Amino acid sequence: MAVIAEPVAKPISRFRFVLDRRDVLETVMVAPAILYVLLLVGLPLLLAVFYSLSAYTIYNPTWKFVGLANFEQILQNPTFLDTLRNTFVFTFGSQLLGLVLGKFGAFLLLQPFPGRKIVRALIILPFAVPVALATIAWQWMFDSLYSVINWTMIAAGLVTREEAPNWLGNPYLAMLCIIIINAWRFFPFAIVIFLAGITAVPQDVIDAATVDGAGFWRRNYQIILPMILPMVAIGLIFGIVFTFTDLSIVFLLTMGGPGGATSVLGFEGFQTGIVSGDVAHGAAISLFMLPVLLVVVIFTLRFIRRREI
């Protein structure tokens, strides 16, 4: 009589057993992101702190501890205070303008019209175009001689050739120019946020408000906007952080001019630490952004928590 051998069970891999645990799997999946942040954010931050507490320059690359002397010196510098003011004006001015454009753009894209899908696809271009190419195009538009904006106003009879504004030569107009360019880059992101928020509002809530007699403005500013405000505030945090630390538009368009009227913290830190070689003061200027952004983020998150419904 033949004996049929029973199949031998294969031993379970210890590695497979470990990955079946949820806490271990979560750690493995999150580890690359944590490593990325530590190497590309944490390490440069520690180096910036290291240099800001020293007298390190490229001409004298020896580390000498000076404590908070670098921060005291930049705070006593009137140029730095003007740069800090310019940074706030540039950041909040462009974010406010971008949110306004994004809100009205979202309402327009919610309306049915021919070619709406194509417009929705094209509206993302300002956010996707490389900042260097976009800024060069805007530089031609604001050129003192070949500005298409000036030529249009002259052709429309609004101004004469002698009265045409020198966009990049006037301190106030130059600040307005960099605000417009950054708002132009930001508003597609704002449109996406508003579209996502508005479409997420339950239709029965809007219908009930309409039945109760709420018009267009009351529906949007007393019902829809409070409901999507947390989502908008999160997008605003990202916009503020990226704008506050940005130097590309200023570097490519005005180089901080005229007369330092458009110099911002990112540009000033680059000019001081990299171009001038004063690494210690450049690191101190860059680190000054950290507490300011931390206060803004904490204030915004507390505002979101109070307004959640």
Side-chain angles (χ1 to χ4, degrees):
M1 182 176 180
V3 179
I4 301 175
E6 296 182 358
V8 179
K10 295 182 179 180
I12 300 176
S13 172
R14 183 178 182 83
F15 179 74
R16 181 180 176 184
F17 176 74
V18 170
L19 289 182
D20 285 339
R21 296 174 52 185
R22 181 173 179 177
D23 54 343
V24 176
L25 184 61
E26 290 174 350
T27 304
V28 172
M29 299 298 289
V30 175
I34 296 176
L35 185 62
Y36 172 85
V37 172
L38 290 177
L39 291 178
L40 296 183
V41 179
L43 183 58
L45 178 62
L46 292 177
L47 286 175
V49 174
F50 176 80
Y51 288 129
S52 67
L53 300 176
S54 70
Y56 189 96
T57 66
I58 61 173
Y59 310 106
N60 183 22
T62 56
W63 194 87
K64 178 182 177 182
F65 181 76
V66 296
L68 300 178
N70 293 326
F71 295 94
E72 295 176 0
Q73 291 172 8
I74 63 173
L75 286 174
Q76 294 171 0
N77 188 353
T79 302
F80 173 78
L81 299 179
D82 292 338
T83 299
L84 184 61
R85 184 195 66 231
N86 294 339
T87 306
F88 277 102
V89 173
F90 170 60
T91 300
F92 292 101
S94 60
Q95 295 304 301
L96 178 61
L97 181 59
L99 285 176
V100 172
L101 293 175
K103 191 173 190 301
F104 283 100
F107 280 125
L108 289 175
L109 291 179
L110 286 173
Q111 306 302 318
F113 60 88
R116 185 177 64 167
K117 293 183 178 179
I118 298 177
V119 174
R120 282 191 173 185
L122 294 177
I123 205 69
I124 204 69
L125 284 179
F127 193 71
V129 171
V131 61
L133 296 178
T135 306
I136 291 173
W138 279 98
Q139 188 176 30
W140 277 101
M141 294 174 66
F142 290 129
D143 188 82
S144 59
L145 295 177
Y146 306 106
S147 171
V148 66
I149 302 174
N150 288 356
W151 280 102
T152 303
M153 291 192 297
I154 293 172
L158 299 177
V159 296
T160 63
R161 181 58 188 159
E162 293 74 17
E163 297 172 345
N166 184 4
W167 294 100
L168 301 180
N170 183 289
Y172 300 103
L173 292 179
M175 176 59 72
L176 179 62
C177 289
I178 63 174
I179 288 175
I180 290 174
I181 296 174
N182 197 70
W184 175 79
R185 290 181 59 207
F186 173 71
F187 93 93
F189 179 61
I191 286 180
V192 172
I193 293 175
F194 278 110
L195 281 176
I198 294 172
T199 53
V201 176
Q203 186 62 38
D204 55 351
V205 174
I206 300 177
D207 294 338
T210 305
V211 171
D212 291 339
F216 173 81
W217 296 106
R218 292 194 64 183
R219 286 200 307 268
N220 285 286
Y221 290 98
Q222 295 186 6
I223 298 173
I224 296 178
L225 187 59
M227 295 182 70
I228 68 174
L229 194 59
M231 183 184 300
V232 174
I234 293 297
L236 185 61
I237 288 177
F238 281 97
I240 290 175
V241 170
F242 289 129
T243 304
F244 204 85
T245 58
D246 185 57
L247 63 91
S248 54
I249 294 177
V250 173
F251 180 81
L252 294 168
L253 189 71
T254 64
M255 288 297 292
T262 58
S263 179
V264 293
L265 283 180
F267 177 78
E268 188 68 22
F270 174 79
Q271 288 292 108
T272 303
I274 304 301
V275 177
S276 300
D278 191 352
V279 179
H281 284 88
I285 293 173
S286 300
L287 280 177
F288 197 84
M289 304 180 197
L290 189 61
V292 175
L293 289 175
L294 186 62
V295 171
V296 171
V297 170
I298 292 176
F299 175 79
T300 307
L301 291 177
R302 292 189 63 181
F303 175 76
I304 293 173
R305 186 175 299 177
R306 292 178 181 177
R307 293 301 300 266
E308 283 181 345
I309 59 175

